[in-house]
Amino acid sequence: MPVVTLFYYALVAFVSVILAVNLLKSRKWERDVLYVLVLLPFLLRLLRLK
């Protein structure tokens, strides 16, 4: 079970980094808001908050 949990958090961290990079590259505020709304649950999961 710890291996699955480790893989899950690694996957969440990977997706979070991709979203953060896209957020930094974005030029439109509408897209920025969308990235923040999608990124927020991933960051909360990484911090082990629900």
Side-chain angles (χ1 to χ4, degrees):
M1 193 66 165
V3 174
V4 173
T5 304
L6 186 68
F7 179 72
Y8 174 74
Y9 282 112
L11 183 64
V12 169
F14 178 70
V15 172
S16 297
V17 167
I18 290 174
L19 286 171
V21 168
N22 286 337
L23 175 63
L24 293 175
K25 288 183 180 180
S26 177
R27 299 287 184 220
K28 297 180 181 178
W29 71 269
E30 297 95 352
R31 198 166 289 232
D32 290 344
V33 171
L34 179 65
Y35 280 127
V36 168
L37 287 175
V38 173
L39 186 60
L40 187 62
F42 284 98
L43 292 177
L44 290 175
R45 180 59 59 184
L46 279 176
L47 297 172
R48 296 183 180 192
L49 300 172
K50 292 186 179 182

